[in-house]
Amino acid sequence: MGGALEAAAPHPRSPSIPPPPHNAPRADLLPGVPRASPPGRRAALFCRRVPLRPAPGMHRAGGLWRRRRRPGNGAALGTGPGTGPGAEADPGLVRASSPEVERRLRGLASVRRDFLNPGEAAELLRELEPVLGRRPYQFDHWDGAICGYRETERGRWGGAARAVLGRVAAAAFPPGRPPLPLVHVLDLHPRGHVRPHVDSVKFCGCTIAGVSLLSPSVMRLVSCRAPGQWLELLLEPGSLYVLRGAARYDFTHEILRDEESFFGGRRVPRGRRLALICRNAPHDTTPEPVGDSSAFIGGTETEPPLLQPPNKQ
């Protein structure tokens, strides 16, 4: 070869055919010559259109297949792990007077952050505002436990609210002890508050659970036997709190008024607060509270001076 490049010989089975001139007529357009179908069209004749079936948990939105967001799933909403209905209590939302009190009430008084997503909270407000808006705020209560409130009991709910309440029942109440069908809706005025009380064993069983909306607030629990023992819960909008066992029977609970609303050194400004409170039915073997029964909601005895309703002006 001497370093020179030789021209490649034509393939023996493919004789070299000179290309047609650029102005030569196309063979498939000549009379009597069958016209060939374009490759894409020819392929389409042998293809059958099969509808797509979405994978489990997917839906079509904006021309794309996307994964459905589960209600209350904080991870799907970008709020991070440890949120939603399956989340554990957030220890950062609980503070106690001593490690002993914290250990005693661990698992009995708890808060779950972001139990509701913003869409669910908006649906609950949309359903409740027309009902509550027709009622004036009251600054006394039949047993003196609440100041600056309006309330209702509701048993019929829309689909979004039913889903939320179903998750509350699964997350907070023990098997065989479901919540009562009527939900207590408490609308607290910005200047209102809930005084220390223990829910009456005549009307409430072993568990109390509440979903908080609108304003953050601080719930304080104080021992009926030793007032120096206390535990506080920071209730953020969309959170779920649960009281059971000793936290329900042996400690009073209250919602602090705005001027007292602090969580440690953090100021928690109080605005209008809305709560959906679920309770289960009393049990035949419900233990009697250890404190003065006259201080309990539903008690028939004379309330102590702290719980007397204020004089109407």
Side-chain angles (χ1 to χ4, degrees):
M1 295 177 58
L5 294 177
E6 297 180 0
H11 195 279
R13 296 184 181 181
S14 301
S16 178
I17 301 176
H22 69 278
N23 57 353
R26 288 177 51 186
D28 60 345
L29 297 181
L30 295 177
V33 178
R35 180 176 300 181
S37 300
R41 183 179 177 185
R42 187 185 306 115
L45 298 176
F46 297 94
C47 296
R48 181 170 59 91
R49 187 177 182 85
V50 179
L52 295 176
R53 294 183 179 180
M58 303 292 286
H59 75 290
R60 192 173 180 85
L64 300 175
W65 290 103
R66 305 178 188 271
R67 187 173 300 277
R68 289 190 178 94
R69 291 181 176 181
R70 297 181 180 180
N73 189 343
L77 293 170
T79 54
T83 58
E88 295 298 326
D90 189 336
L93 304 179
V94 179
R95 58 186 300 266
S97 58
S98 66
E100 291 75 15
V101 174
E102 191 276 331
R103 284 193 295 269
R104 180 186 177 191
L105 297 185
R106 185 178 301 165
L108 303 178
S110 60
V111 186
R112 296 186 180 185
R113 192 195 306 266
D114 296 327
F115 189 80
L116 301 182
N117 63 48
E120 291 169 330
E123 285 295 328
L124 290 173
L125 290 173
R126 189 176 297 114
E127 186 166 347
L128 292 172
E129 289 287 17
V131 178
L132 295 170
R134 297 193 296 265
R135 302 170 182 263
Y137 284 101
Q138 303 178 45
F139 286 85
D140 56 2
H141 189 261
W142 63 276
D143 62 359
I146 313 176
C147 175
Y149 74 100
R150 52 190 179 186
E151 63 183 343
T152 186
E153 286 187 322
R154 192 170 178 87
R156 300 180 62 183
W157 297 90
R162 286 199 304 272
V164 168
L165 295 173
R167 297 206 328 265
V168 171
F173 290 85
R177 302 293 304 276
L180 293 166
L182 289 180
V183 177
H184 182 197
V185 180
L186 180 61
D187 184 350
L188 204 60
H189 190 274
R191 299 195 310 273
H193 60 281
V194 179
R195 297 186 176 98
H197 68 279
V198 175
D199 287 29
S200 173
V201 296
K202 299 177 182 178
F203 307 108
C204 177
C206 62
T207 304
I208 304 169
V211 174
S212 302
L213 298 171
L214 296 179
S215 170
S217 59
V218 177
M219 174 180 283
R220 177 182 293 161
L221 285 71
V222 178
S223 171
C224 297
R225 295 185 183 274
Q229 298 180 3
W230 53 264
L231 182 134
E232 290 179 344
L233 308 176
L234 178 58
L235 307 181
E236 297 178 337
S239 64
L240 170 72
Y241 74 84
V242 181
L243 305 179
R244 57 169 67 95
R248 180 261 182 271
Y249 293 112
D250 301 343
F251 283 70
T252 63
H253 61 276
E254 60 185 302
I255 297 293
L256 301 183
R257 65 184 77 203
D258 179 58
E259 54 268 29
E260 300 173 352
S261 187
F262 287 85
F263 188 73
R266 172 185 169 187
R267 174 82 167 99
V268 183
R270 261 285 321 283
R272 178 190 173 204
R273 176 180 184 266
L274 195 63
L276 278 67
I277 306 170
C278 301
R279 303 174 173 92
N280 54 6
H283 197 270
D284 295 339
T285 58
T286 298
E288 289 296 327
V290 299
D292 179 9
S293 62
S294 63
F296 305 145
I297 281 186
T300 57
E301 296 85 354
T302 302
E303 278 77 6
L306 177 63
L307 298 184
Q308 286 287 355
N311 295 327
K312 295 183 179 179
Q313 301 296 329

